[in-house]
Amino acid sequence: MSQEEPVVVCPNCRSSVRRESRFCDQCGRSLASGEAIASTDSYSREGLTPRDVAEEPPDFENWTGTDEAGEVYDEPPEGSDNAERYREPVRPRASVRENVGGSLRTLVLWSGSPLLLLVVLVAAIARDNFRKEDSRAHVSLQGESVDVAPESAPSLALPLEIITPFTGQEKTTDFEIVSDGFIRPRGVTIANGRIYVVDPGLGALFVLDGEGEQIAGVLHSDRRFVEPVDAAADGAGNVYVLDAGDGGQVSVHRPDGAFSEVIPLPAGAADRSRGLDVDSEGRIWLAMTPALAVAAFDSTGRELIRISTGFEGADLQPVDVAARSDGSVFVSTAEMTSVLHFSEVGELLNLWPLVTANSIDGPHLALDSEGMLYVTQPEQGGIMRISGENAEDLDAWVIPAGQHVRKLVGIAAGEPGSLLVVDSENGSVYRLLVSP
């Protein structure tokens, strides 16, 4: 058995260094004059230096040690100082300054290397080729549930040639106040001969009769409402409420507003989502605003379809969704404010630009019994109707400016030409009659 003579070690990571070295080879620590120290530790494994021990874990099968009297034994005594000394050492982590210094020194050493220049050139060519291939991605997206998070999926190129702008003349329409006294109403739907309004300012679902008189005010599902932002109804007259707060939730209520059940959606699916619809097959559609996608779920919460709005170079945050009986889906978006039309397999069919709006008070959608789509334009105080894919299939109306109209958000369609809209700033529900 031999004992190593004292050697020069780094005061930071305890690695052995050459006496003439200015920097530690392991951690990059600057070894100013007087900082390098000599090691007096003894290691009884034959031929090992402190650096060897630091790089190699202890071999406890061949371990030997010495007690206080210098006697050799094969097992470290329980609780002895020697037992602690032969545990694998833990290296102190280098400081940020030391890591930066080591990186700069490495960069200086490599800066004149032809190999480094070759590596940089190859990386740049690979990046450009990836961008070219990504820009050729086809716009269609298969309408099936996917496990890949939308944030990690590659963006699709937005085909600008399919955009259909409104080029006609805006008309003026009159309105009547159906109900007022709300704080921040945002969602509205019609079912069972009644009007259902959700108000996140009051944290409640309100049930009104056809004339706007309040029948009930509901404050909770299986929990107190946090931020109810939209409502929809199915063919049986059940009312669905989207609560976007505290992780998000979709609850089902009976025609009188009484709570029935919560849809067991995946965790976070409804969190900060802004729009809701229930199609003719009973599928629950969500405009999942943070996820840049709309998705359909069944009554058990299982995801059936997901359609991405994450197009390259376009900030399309979905705020509402409306599913048509032919399987196609309309989506309204904020930031790059528009309406998108997708086929039942997720292929983008058309896009109509709208007046800019934010995601909280974004444009909402309603389909009437004839399949015509109505869209609110919150910052304009008006609505647009889409009856086809061409420019001549678009109509737009504005409500005369005045103290009664501030910001139209939620919308519901009754009989053809009869609409209900909510004003999120003025706290009112209006009825509009538009021409066929």
Side-chain angles (χ1 to χ4, degrees):
M1 181 178 67
S2 65
Q3 179 169 317
E4 293 293 329
E5 293 298 323
V7 296
V8 175
V9 298
C10 172
N12 181 52
C13 68
R14 308 296 296 179
S15 298
S16 63
V17 295
R18 299 185 303 275
R19 293 181 181 275
E20 65 274 11
S21 295
R22 298 179 57 191
F23 302 97
C24 175
D25 295 332
Q26 293 296 311
C27 69
R29 171 82 178 255
S30 174
L31 302 177
S33 177
E35 283 195 331
I37 60 174
S39 170
T40 58
D41 290 340
S42 296
Y43 294 86
S44 59
R45 290 185 58 191
E46 189 70 26
L48 290 182
T49 66
R51 181 170 178 174
D52 293 329
V53 175
E55 293 177 350
E56 181 179 347
D59 180 4
F60 287 106
E61 293 183 0
N62 301 316
W63 192 94
T64 59
T66 56
D67 61 15
E68 297 297 331
E71 297 291 329
V72 178
Y73 50 82
D74 294 329
E75 297 292 335
E78 185 70 20
S80 69
D81 291 338
N82 279 319
E84 290 294 328
R85 186 167 60 189
Y86 284 92
R87 291 180 181 174
E88 184 178 7
V90 178
R91 294 186 187 180
R93 297 183 62 182
S95 67
V96 174
R97 180 178 179 182
E98 291 162 351
N99 285 331
V100 171
S103 300
L104 288 176
R105 287 191 298 275
T106 302
L107 181 61
V108 170
L109 291 173
W110 277 83
S111 60
S113 170
L115 179 59
L116 176 62
L117 297 178
L118 178 61
V119 170
V120 173
L121 180 60
V122 170
I125 293 173
R127 179 200 60 193
D128 291 340
N129 287 339
F130 174 80
R131 288 178 176 175
K132 290 176 183 177
E133 291 299 322
D134 188 55
S135 66
R136 297 190 189 108
H138 195 272
V139 69
S140 64
L141 181 69
Q142 185 66 28
E144 296 180 353
S145 176
V146 293
D147 296 328
V148 178
E151 292 81 3
S152 63
S155 297
L156 303 175
L158 183 65
L160 298 179
E161 64 271 13
I162 70 170
I163 293 178
T164 303
F166 173 70
T167 57
Q169 182 178 4
E170 291 177 335
K171 310 165 191 176
T172 301
T173 183
D174 293 327
F175 67 96
E176 63 173 316
I177 299 176
V178 175
S179 184
D180 57 12
F182 300 101
I183 301 298
R184 298 288 292 185
R186 287 206 175 92
V188 60
T189 192
I190 302 172
N192 312 305
R194 296 173 176 175
I195 303 168
Y196 300 87
V197 181
V198 289
D199 186 340
L202 294 170
L205 162 68
F206 293 94
V207 184
L208 315 176
D209 65 18
E211 301 302 317
E213 294 296 322
Q214 181 174 324
I215 298 174
V218 182
L219 298 176
H220 61 85
S221 55
D222 65 337
R223 68 178 193 185
R224 180 69 182 256
F225 285 132
V226 179
E227 190 186 0
V229 294
D230 204 9
D234 63 16
N238 298 304
V239 179
Y240 295 70
V241 175
L242 169 59
D243 187 345
D246 195 22
Q249 182 187 84
V250 173
S251 56
V252 186
H253 299 256
R254 292 189 284 272
D256 62 358
F259 168 68
S260 176
E261 62 177 324
V262 170
I263 303 298
L265 298 171
D271 186 33
R272 293 176 291 152
S273 295
R274 295 295 161 190
L276 172 74
D277 191 29
V278 181
D279 66 17
S280 58
E281 298 180 21
R283 296 178 298 190
I284 303 155
W285 286 86
L286 281 181
M288 302 166 66
T289 310
L292 299 182
V294 295
F297 303 85
D298 64 16
S299 59
T300 68
R302 181 169 62 99
E303 185 175 314
L304 305 173
I305 301 170
R306 178 176 292 220
I307 300 174
S308 173
T309 63
F311 293 97
E312 182 180 6
D315 191 0
L316 295 162
Q317 301 176 19
V319 294
D320 200 15
V321 57
R324 204 156 65 174
S325 58
D326 63 1
S328 65
V329 177
F330 292 96
V331 180
S332 61
T333 65
E335 295 304 322
M336 182 177 169
T337 311
S338 55
V339 175
L340 291 77
H341 189 197
F342 292 95
S343 71
E344 58 185 339
V345 295
E347 180 184 4
L348 182 61
L349 302 175
N350 212 335
L351 184 152
W352 297 269
L354 300 176
V355 177
T356 300
N358 62 64
S359 61
I360 295 179
D361 289 318
H364 277 241
L365 310 171
L367 283 163
D368 68 10
S369 58
E370 297 180 347
M372 293 190 179
L373 181 75
Y374 293 88
V375 188
T376 56
Q377 299 209 61
E379 302 300 331
Q380 189 183 31
I383 60 171
M384 185 169 74
R385 181 174 65 193
I386 301 174
S387 56
E389 301 296 328
N390 303 312
E392 59 267 23
D393 298 321
L394 304 179
D395 296 282
W397 290 266
V398 291
I399 298 177
Q403 61 178 350
H404 295 295
V405 177
R406 300 282 180 83
K407 187 172 288 187
L408 306 181
V409 179
I411 185 170
E415 296 298 322
S418 177
L419 305 171
L420 289 177
V421 294
V422 296
D423 188 327
S424 69
E425 284 197 1
N426 217 18
S428 301
V429 179
Y430 309 132
R431 180 177 282 113
L432 281 63
L433 295 176
V434 297
S435 59

